[in-house]
Amino acid sequence: DAKTTQPPSMDCAEGRAANLPCNHSTISGNEYVYWYRQIHSQGPQYIIHGLKNNETNEMASLIITEDRKSSTLILPHATLRDTAVYYCIVFLSYNQGGKLIFGQGTELSVKP
Amino acid sequence: KAGVTQTPRYLIKTRGQQVTLSCSPISGHRSVSWYQQTPGQGLQFLFEYFSETQRNKGNFPGRFSGRQFSNSRSEMNVSTLELGDSALYLCASSLGQGDGTQPQHFGDGTRLSIL
């Protein structure tokens, strides 16, 4: 079972910041939070991951709360090409199965 | 740097047949994981190979098997195909430390249709 909860869909205006929330209240201390996105008929694309600290790369920023029970993915200037399903995932370390547990994700629609 | 390559991209089989899917990981990656994606069940973990050994396995029947070669390329085999095996099969590779510090990178999958 997925260890994360996300809203099923969100809309965002082109050029504005998209803030995608995720709850992971049962996360363990050494489990990473990962974000992927999937555009129809393609494989999931890695976006960003983090453990405790906020992270930023060329694609997005990841804000993790101090208690680690939730996080937010921020796309600073959304474009139409950012329309996709976004998955927030807790990575289970290899002594727990070593796998990404995907939930249903958030379908983000970026509108002009 | 080339990404994860999966072949073939599309495949049509009939019930009872078997199928083999191939995955070439990113150069230097030693771990290969396989996932099944269906509209009803979403993305589900099948198994993971590291250094030619199956390291982890999901909850799929024994008809689903895999192997990894010394060059880290991996194959997945499904025997006695059923209609419910119609899905997008995704392969992902990583350096494979096992602690979650390094991401998995996915190919674009093989879409398998069972008639």
Side-chain angles (χ1 to χ4, degrees), chain A residues 31-101:
Chain A
E31 291 177 337
Y32 281 76
V33 177
Y34 274 78
W35 283 83
Y36 283 79
R37 71 182 182 184
Q38 187 173 27
I39 298 169
H40 183 63
S41 79
Q42 296 181 16
Q45 177 190 22
Y46 165 75
I47 301 173
I48 199 167
H49 72 287
L51 185 62
K52 296 179 183 177
N53 301 319
N54 298 337
E55 302 287 345
T56 296
N57 63 21
E58 66 279 4
M59 289 183 67
S61 294
L62 173 61
I63 309 298
I64 302 175
T65 57
E66 194 168 342
D67 62 8
R68 301 210 330 120
K69 292 186 177 181
S70 66
S71 61
T72 301
L73 178 74
I74 301 172
L75 306 178
H77 305 286
T79 71
L80 298 179
R81 289 181 295 178
D82 291 322
T83 294
V85 178
Y86 286 77
Y87 295 99
C88 170
I89 300 156
V90 171
F91 178 82
L92 302 185
S93 59
Y94 284 104
N95 60 356
Q96 296 181 71
K99 54 193 175 185
L100 298 169
I101 305 295

Side-chain angles (χ1 to χ4, degrees), chain B residues 30-107:
Chain B
R30 297 170 62 192
S31 168
V32 172
S33 298
W34 288 89
Y35 294 80
Q36 181 196 64
Q37 185 173 27
T38 60
Q41 298 297 318
L43 273 146
Q44 292 186 288
F45 173 77
L46 281 156
F47 33 65
E48 185 237 357
Y49 284 85
F50 179 79
S51 293
E52 302 179 64
T53 301
Q54 187 180 86
R55 187 160 61 173
N56 285 292
K57 189 177 187 303
N59 296 322
F60 278 81
R63 299 185 298 107
F64 292 82
S65 63
R67 60 177 175 169
Q68 187 179 34
F69 302 95
S70 58
N71 61 358
S72 295
R73 189 178 70 85
S74 177
E75 289 183 346
M76 191 192 94
N77 184 274
V78 188
S79 62
T80 319
L81 287 164
E82 301 176 359
L83 292 177
D85 297 334
S86 293
L88 180 65
Y89 289 88
L90 292 157
C91 163
S93 76
S94 74
L95 291 171
Q97 285 97 325
D99 57 1
T101 55
Q102 295 297 323
Q104 296 183 14
H105 295 278
F106 285 80

